[in-house]
Amino acid sequence: MLVHTINEVRECIKKWKKEGLTVGLVPTMGALHNGHLSLIKKSVEKCDKTVVSVFVNPIQFCPGEDLDKYPRTLEADEKLCQNAGVDIVFAPSPKEMYGEGHILSNDFLTYVVPPFFYVDKLCGKSRVGHFDGVCTVVNKLFNIVQPDYAFFGQKDAQQLIIIKKMVKDLNIPVEIIPCPIVREESGLALSSRNKYLSETDKKEALALSKILFNIKACYDKGIKDVDALSETAYGFLNEHHSLEYLEFRDKENLEQKTLADDNTQVFIALRIGSVRLIDNILLG
Ligand code: AMP
């Protein structure tokens, strides 16, 4: 069932809770692909009822980012959800979520702000305020849907770590279920933003997964020094790539590593033309 208002969602949730049913939430920005589908399938399997939110959240986009051209494919998304056994597709408008004059400064909106240590690095460094927008909307979705479980992809590993921290710090009664990265056969991690890539760009984009898989292979062979592991990346980069970051950090608290271990997550962000892609891998 496609639902556009908060009230309609609340009505259903009230009924389900009365019946003692468990609720799973899969927050998305739509343009659904098999990566999203893997989260949805997990929720449908684990929970009595599943809500998928489809909302291109304006407050998590920075000025100059792709808010206007972000792919919007609600009809196809709804079909995919229906076939997967989803109970509610919640697709609110920005006005429904943020009210009249909907937006966008923290002069007028209550924000949930994650700790500085978690956002001053990796994607947070170039996307200032992004994770404030993410935490705020996820918190709102938790309050609207009151899920027992919420499903997030490892694809956005920094986001997942920050959401787990928010849930812990704010005592939000939901269990976060992390879900593994779904990749194309080529290794490229599925992403709605892959739609921006030409065929040639797509080939260039393979550098992300190649770099990560190669680092993992080197680690498995016994190379632990982070500088040495980083160096191996340069063989995969060419003039079409602009490397934003390649960093080795703790998988729970994002502290930087100089020696890699089984708790080390490797994070990469790479620009190909105007398209910015991210990926990551856990070494352990
Ligand atoms: P998005 O629509 O990009 O905001 O993503 C919604 C959810 O799907 C997030 O929890 C993402 O981490 C997750 N997701 C996106 N792509 C993938 C993927 N390739 N594999 C697993 N999860 C993914």
Side-chain angles (χ1 to χ4, degrees):
M1 181 176 39
L2 179 62
V3 162
H4 295 288
T5 68
I6 294 167
N7 275 343
E8 284 170 284
V9 177
R10 283 200 195 283
E11 284 304 309
C12 288
I13 300 290
K14 224 198 292 177
K15 195 166 138 268
W16 293 342
K17 296 265 161 172
K18 248 192 204 153
E19 293 168 18
L21 302 175
T22 57
V23 178
L25 170 67
V26 183
T28 82
M29 296 208 298
L32 301 182
H33 51 64
N34 282 339
H36 298 111
L37 186 58
S38 71
L39 276 56
I40 292 169
K41 279 185 175 159
K42 265 212 173 146
S43 177
V44 169
E45 208 177 277
K46 192 172 176 68
C47 307
D48 298 319
K49 298 287 178 185
T50 290
V51 178
V52 174
S53 59
V54 173
F55 180 57
V56 182
N57 176 32
I59 71 166
Q60 71 185 70
F61 287 76
C62 302
E65 287 190 346
D66 55 345
L67 172 61
D68 292 334
K69 70 167 191 175
Y70 196 86
R72 289 159 168 90
T73 60
L74 186 57
E75 216 172 293
D77 294 348
E78 193 199 352
K79 245 183 220 144
L80 179 144
C81 287
Q82 206 170 16
N83 290 337
V86 170
D87 298 278
I88 292 181
V89 177
F90 175 44
S93 65
K95 188 175 156 202
E96 177 70 8
M97 285 299 268
Y98 296 114
E100 204 61 63
H102 57 266
I103 311 262
L104 281 177
S105 91
N106 50 11
D107 292 345
F108 297 101
L109 183 70
T110 305
Y111 271 73
V112 178
V113 181
F116 187 65
F117 183 82
Y118 287 69
V119 300
D120 71 338
K121 49 185 61 69
L122 304 172
C123 289
K125 212 168 173 177
S126 66
R127 306 189 75 192
V128 176
H130 167 69
F131 289 113
D132 299 1
V134 169
C135 284
T136 302
V137 79
V138 169
N139 215 296
K140 282 168 73 72
L141 290 168
F142 285 169
N143 285 331
I144 294 163
V145 177
Q146 297 171 43
D148 300 281
Y149 302 96
F151 299 78
F152 290 87
Q154 297 274 10
K155 163 75 175 29
D156 300 281
Q158 186 178 16
Q159 167 176 287
L160 175 57
I161 290 167
I162 288 172
I163 301 255
K164 282 204 270 191
K165 175 80 174 140
M166 172 183 81
V167 163
K168 182 164 173 265
D169 287 353
L170 299 183
N171 309 99
I172 303 175
V174 62
E175 187 178 329
I176 302 299
I177 312 286
C179 304
I181 300 175
V182 177
R183 299 177 180 281
E184 287 185 0
E185 225 168 278
S186 64
L188 181 66
L190 298 188
S191 162
S192 305
R193 288 190 167 96
N194 291 354
K195 288 206 163 95
Y196 300 147
L197 298 170
S198 67
E199 278 311 306
T200 337
D201 290 344
K202 255 188 145 179
K203 282 189 191 126
E204 300 294 352
L206 294 183
L208 286 119
S209 53
K210 282 186 178 160
I211 287 170
L212 295 177
F213 294 162
N214 185 57
I215 285 174
K216 168 96 171 97
C218 292
Y219 173 78
D220 288 343
K221 274 189 207 144
I223 304 176
K224 306 284 184 249
D225 180 67
V226 160
D227 287 340
L229 289 169
S230 298
E231 292 253 321
T232 66
Y234 290 99
F236 297 94
L237 295 174
N238 62 38
E239 70 278 9
H240 301 292
H241 300 127
S242 161
L243 183 64
E244 187 180 304
Y245 62 70
L246 174 66
E247 295 188 24
F248 294 66
R249 294 186 174 273
D250 184 88
K251 67 172 182 181
E252 299 292 341
N253 62 23
L254 292 179
E255 275 183 25
Q256 195 144 25
K257 302 271 188 179
T258 46
L259 275 185
D261 58 27
D262 282 1
N263 292 322
T264 301
Q265 195 140 10
V266 188
F267 298 81
I268 187 167
L270 190 64
R271 279 179 200 276
I272 295 148
S274 62
V275 186
R276 179 179 180 279
L277 298 173
I278 59 170
D279 200 348
N280 69 86
I281 201 164
L282 182 63
L283 294 185

